Amino acid sequence: MTWELSDLLRAIATTIVIGIHASHHWWFGVKDTVTMNPEIFIDTFINQVGRFTVPIFVILSGFALSKSEEKHPFDLKIFCQRRLWRIIPPYILFTLLNVVGRSQFLAGSWQERLQQIWQALSTGMGDYHLYFLGIILQCYVSYPFLRRITFTVKNLWILLVIAFSLFSLRWISATFGLLPNLTSFLPDGNHVIYWLPYFQIGIWLSKDHGWSKQLVSQWRSHTWGYLFAIAAILELGEFYGTAILKNSAEAVGHYTRPTIILVTLTFLLWTISWQIKEPIKAILSNKIFASASFTTYLIHVWILRAIAPLEVVGGILYVPLAATVSWLIGITIWRLVKLKRWSAIAFGA
């Protein structure tokens, strides 16, 4: 993994996350688990196969923190200050922006309003994309301990076995009702326990002394691409099957599925094998997309609300349109606020 590839993956992941949210009205199972047409299939593919993007974000966060230690030795005090300033202000701002506009908030007493604000801040559900900031914050809290775990192939295999076992138990108990005692024992998908394995993999990517690159070089890039395609087909087939079984998409299209780990890891290994072309390198060199990605992520849900009338064009056209508009506005806002300290902090610039 290199900084260059990290920047590219950040831009790709941000684009696909926007696509996932923009495709919500058209993916399979939202209205029923019977209807299928090209629009539903394409948007379901984006929505479900694209689920590897949030784990990729977590991996990139771990990689960036660990890689930065090559230039700046770890200092706990400085680390805490920088990470808190990176996450807390935009988390509070965008939580408040959504909460204070709700009819329930406007109609409530001051005590009820304060309770609603506290509930939104404490649960990460102030807006539907803010849960990710809560996950990242918990990963940051764990970083001073996780950074001490040495990378070895043995440790990697132990981590993967634990992760696959945890995700499989969660999926089996939630989908088929087996092992009912585990259902109440295992936390929901937003709990940090499901995200720390990805975070640790990101940390190790900066400390594996070229092991991952050596592993990937054993096969050609298109072979890794085929493996990712196979994993994507398995993940999509698993989603369709369980959605029909449960007669619901929302209940089964979550991140805590073993197929999501498989898709994420095969995509990651495939990208490590890429030879980035010069035109792409030139675009990445100015770091606009990588630097503006967090701002774009924070504001894209508001952009989707603003352009909701354009959904009449249909899911196939609306998804790329939403991603393009979100990036254009996100980069514009990032440029406007990046040189103003408090605005930059509030908007993740």
Side-chain angles (χ1 to χ4, degrees):
M1 175 75 79
T2 62
W3 282 118
E4 190 175 58
L5 178 58
S6 174
D7 291 345
L8 177 59
L9 291 181
R10 201 172 295 278
I12 292 172
T14 301
T15 303
I16 297 177
V17 165
I18 297 169
I20 289 173
H21 293 156
S23 67
H24 182 76
H25 294 300
W26 294 279
W27 59 302
F28 181 78
V30 170
K31 296 179 180 178
D32 59 62
T33 54
V34 178
T35 307
M36 176 59 74
N37 55 48
E39 181 179 64
I40 291 175
F41 179 80
I42 291 172
D43 279 22
T44 301
F45 183 88
I46 295 170
N47 195 292
Q48 286 303 303
V49 176
R51 298 277 165 162
F52 69 82
T53 51
V54 178
I56 287 292
F57 272 134
V58 177
I59 290 172
L60 294 178
S61 296
F63 170 79
L65 289 177
S66 182
K67 190 73 172 177
S68 64
E69 290 188 29
E70 294 180 1
K71 292 185 177 180
H72 306 286
F74 181 78
D75 181 281
L76 182 60
K77 182 180 179 180
I78 295 175
F79 170 81
C80 292
Q81 290 174 342
R82 288 180 175 176
R83 293 307 101 193
L84 289 177
W85 275 115
R86 178 68 170 167
I87 296 294
I88 298 298
Y91 178 72
I92 293 175
L93 173 64
F94 282 89
T95 296
L96 292 177
L97 284 175
N98 191 46
V99 171
V100 300
R102 295 174 182 172
S103 58
Q104 184 181 4
F105 179 86
L106 297 173
S109 64
W110 281 107
Q111 183 178 1
E112 290 171 337
R113 291 176 179 179
L114 290 174
Q115 289 176 344
Q116 291 176 41
I117 291 173
W118 171 248
Q119 183 179 17
L121 289 172
S122 61
T123 60
M125 300 308 293
D127 211 340
Y128 63 81
H129 68 315
L130 295 179
Y131 75 94
F132 175 70
L133 273 66
I135 290 170
I136 288 298
L137 181 59
Q138 293 176 81
C139 288
Y140 286 166
V141 171
S142 305
Y143 179 73
F145 306 98
L146 298 182
R147 61 181 290 275
R148 296 179 178 275
I149 302 176
T150 306
F151 170 79
T152 65
V153 176
K154 179 181 178 181
N155 285 345
L156 176 61
W157 277 110
I158 291 173
L159 179 68
L160 292 177
V161 169
I162 292 173
F164 271 103
S165 300
L166 179 64
F167 278 57
S168 297
L169 287 172
R170 178 73 171 78
W171 179 73
I172 290 171
S173 62
T175 304
F176 302 104
L178 302 176
L179 306 171
N181 292 334
L182 281 177
T183 305
S184 57
F185 176 74
L186 292 173
D188 63 53
N190 290 340
H191 196 281
V192 71
I193 193 174
Y194 299 107
W195 301 94
L196 287 179
Y198 296 122
F199 192 63
Q200 185 67 67
I201 288 172
I203 294 171
W204 282 343
L205 278 173
S206 73
K207 298 180 177 181
D208 67 358
H209 305 293
W211 180 85
S212 57
K213 188 69 176 178
Q214 185 179 1
L215 171 67
V216 167
S217 65
Q218 295 179 16
W219 291 343
R220 294 182 178 180
S221 182
H222 67 261
T223 302
W224 290 109
Y226 293 149
L227 289 175
F228 168 67
I230 293 170
I233 292 170
L234 289 173
E235 189 272 337
L236 197 59
E238 175 260 319
F239 166 75
Y240 278 122
T242 50
I244 293 171
L245 175 67
K246 306 288 284 188
N247 195 31
S248 171
E250 296 287 357
V252 301
H254 50 77
Y255 291 97
T256 52
R257 296 141 60 196
T259 51
I260 298 296
I261 300 181
L262 190 62
V263 169
T264 301
L265 294 181
T266 53
F267 178 79
L268 180 65
L269 292 171
W270 180 35
T271 61
I272 293 174
S273 73
W274 290 352
Q275 298 294 325
I276 302 177
K277 305 297 183 183
E278 287 302 324
I280 303 297
K281 287 184 178 181
I283 295 173
L284 293 174
S285 63
N286 57 31
K287 291 188 173 292
I288 290 177
F289 284 96
S291 300
S293 61
F294 188 39
T295 302
T296 302
Y297 176 83
L298 288 170
I299 68 169
H300 83 275
V301 297
W302 291 88
I303 296 170
L304 294 182
R305 290 171 182 137
I307 66 173
L310 297 179
E311 291 178 358
V312 295
V313 303
I316 295 177
L317 294 177
Y318 178 72
V319 171
L321 176 64
T324 302
V325 173
S326 295
W327 268 114
L328 289 173
I329 297 177
I331 291 173
T332 301
I333 292 177
W334 172 76
R335 287 184 181 276
L336 290 173
V337 304
K338 67 176 182 175
L339 298 179
K340 301 173 182 178
R341 183 168 184 257
W342 293 109
S343 298
I345 290 172
F347 284 86

